[in-house]
Amino acid sequence: MSRFQNFTGKIYLRPIVYPGDDKITYCLPQEEADKAFAAGLPEIELEGVAAKSSAPKIAVILTRDQHPDRQLPDYSLPLATAEAVTLSGGKICPVGYDKVAGQLAAIHPDGVFLPGGVFDVPLDWEENEPEHPVDLRRFNVYREVIDYAKEHKLPLLAVCGGMQVLACCFGAKIGRIEGHRTNIKDFAHKMEIKQNSLLQKITGASEMEVNSWHTWAVSKDNIGNNLAHTSPDGIVEAIEPVNPWHPFVLGIQSHPEYFVKKGYAAADKIFKSFIKAAEEKALSKQKSAFSMLTEKGISRG
């Protein structure tokens, strides 16, 4: 029996481990997602993951990839992302690829997290690449979510491919690199942190250890209107837009979410600072709503 036969408006990503993998992933098969979205605009939650009702809501774009054992792609979310956001005090509100504007309006998020992954971007964002076919559906979701964050002045944290899209939105280009795909669960090298930057303010450090799991990076010759933090070999490892729409808009090429539960101070500070910014945004929205209600009450009095 289909779990959507009596659809109630809520679906759950379930924890699984794919064959041949050792990472827990929250998964919703594409065929189930299609049925859910066809039945209405679903509220997506993570099975077994709870957050305080007062926690700030973090919109997290789901990845969608086709595992070799699947006939159709899955919507998925790594356990590390779920842990990093919830352990830092946030509530994950996953965003699928259908009816994005409606989902964001229903979620009314206080912050946005852009995950990594493998997906196409516009050809004019790629440096020294021959013309080739691109599928921009997932990219378009990122752009729509970034535009929403910009319009509503929300704090935003982006990692890996999410950082690359963010950087390119501020004029950067990306290119292929070698030697930076090692092990996502271990430190690979250090990253220099520029003085007087947001990242230095967050970590209180001049460098931090990072893992390395990428074959593309922001071009060091075309960083756009961004401040760049680099690895010893000059690869761009983090960016901060020079003119952000919110004081917390940060892109990290690595995956700090894998080190939050392990207690690595820099990763922990990044996520907690992000969630704190979202909490402040939530409080600001509450004050604004209360002020509007008060004004209406006075005008009617």
Side-chain angles (χ1 to χ4, degrees):
M1 178 184 294
S2 169
R3 65 186 299 165
F4 300 106
Q5 190 167 6
N6 297 305
F7 182 65
T8 60
K10 183 175 290 189
I11 57 177
Y12 291 91
L13 276 74
R14 303 177 297 280
I16 67 167
V17 176
Y18 288 113
D21 200 352
D22 62 349
K23 300 189 296 294
I24 296 175
T25 299
Y26 285 93
C27 161
L28 179 71
Q30 182 58 47
E31 57 187 359
E32 295 189 20
D34 289 342
K35 292 178 182 178
F37 278 103
L41 184 62
E43 179 183 351
I44 306 175
E45 292 193 1
L46 305 181
E47 188 173 285
V49 176
K52 294 180 179 179
S53 58
S54 60
K57 293 177 288 185
I58 308 299
V60 181
I61 298 176
L62 296 170
T63 61
R64 187 166 66 185
D65 301 299
Q66 188 161 355
H67 191 271
D69 293 329
R70 302 287 194 185
Q71 291 184 341
L72 292 171
D74 293 337
Y75 276 129
S76 59
L77 180 74
L79 174 63
T81 300
E83 289 178 336
V85 173
T86 53
L87 288 174
S88 300
K91 173 181 171 57
I92 288 181
C93 297
V95 176
Y97 296 3
D98 296 292
K99 307 175 183 176
V100 175
Q103 291 182 77
L104 293 171
I107 294 169
H108 200 46
D110 306 305
V112 167
F113 179 81
L114 303 181
V118 180
F119 55 96
D120 292 333
V121 299
L123 288 174
D124 59 356
W125 283 12
E126 298 178 352
E127 191 175 62
N128 301 321
E129 288 292 311
E131 189 164 329
H132 57 87
V134 293
D135 178 357
L136 297 180
R137 187 176 186 201
R138 180 169 167 183
F139 162 79
N140 288 334
V141 177
Y142 278 66
R143 281 304 304 263
E144 192 166 353
V145 171
I146 289 173
D147 287 345
Y148 181 93
K150 183 178 181 180
E151 178 185 356
H152 296 274
K153 295 182 169 48
L154 301 179
L156 182 147
L157 176 60
V159 301
C160 194
M163 174 199 118
Q164 294 166 18
V165 174
L166 176 66
C168 288
C169 286
F170 284 87
K173 289 187 180 296
I174 61 173
R176 294 181 187 271
I177 60 170
E178 296 182 356
H180 275 258
R181 193 171 180 89
T182 55
N183 189 333
I184 199 169
K185 293 185 176 182
D186 297 324
F187 291 133
H189 55 78
K190 292 183 178 180
M191 172 182 71
E192 174 196 356
I193 297 176
K194 294 288 181 66
Q195 290 190 2
N196 302 316
S197 63
L198 171 63
L199 193 54
Q200 186 188 51
K201 180 181 177 181
I202 291 169
T203 63
S206 60
E207 62 181 17
M208 64 179 281
E209 297 272 8
V210 297
N211 50 9
S212 194
W213 189 251
H214 54 108
T215 55
W216 288 76
V218 172
S219 168
K220 56 188 176 184
D221 298 319
N222 292 292
I223 65 170
N225 195 25
N226 298 288
L227 172 69
H229 307 273
T230 57
S231 59
D233 59 357
I235 298 299
V236 176
E237 292 287 344
I239 62 100
E240 299 175 21
V242 174
N243 296 306
W245 58 80
H246 184 278
F248 194 109
V249 178
L250 177 65
I252 305 285
Q253 178 63 67
S254 60
H255 291 269
E257 63 271 23
Y258 281 86
F259 301 115
V260 171
K261 191 174 183 180
K262 294 180 179 180
Y264 178 48
D268 185 60
K269 288 177 180 178
I270 288 170
F271 272 89
K272 284 186 176 173
S273 295
F274 170 53
I275 298 303
K276 181 180 179 182
E279 287 176 339
E280 292 171 350
K281 185 63 181 181
L283 182 60
S284 174
K285 290 191 296 186
Q286 291 170 7
K287 288 181 178 179
S288 178
F290 179 76
S291 178
M292 290 179 62
L293 288 172
T294 301
E295 290 178 2
K296 287 182 179 179
I298 293 173
S299 64
R300 289 174 181 173

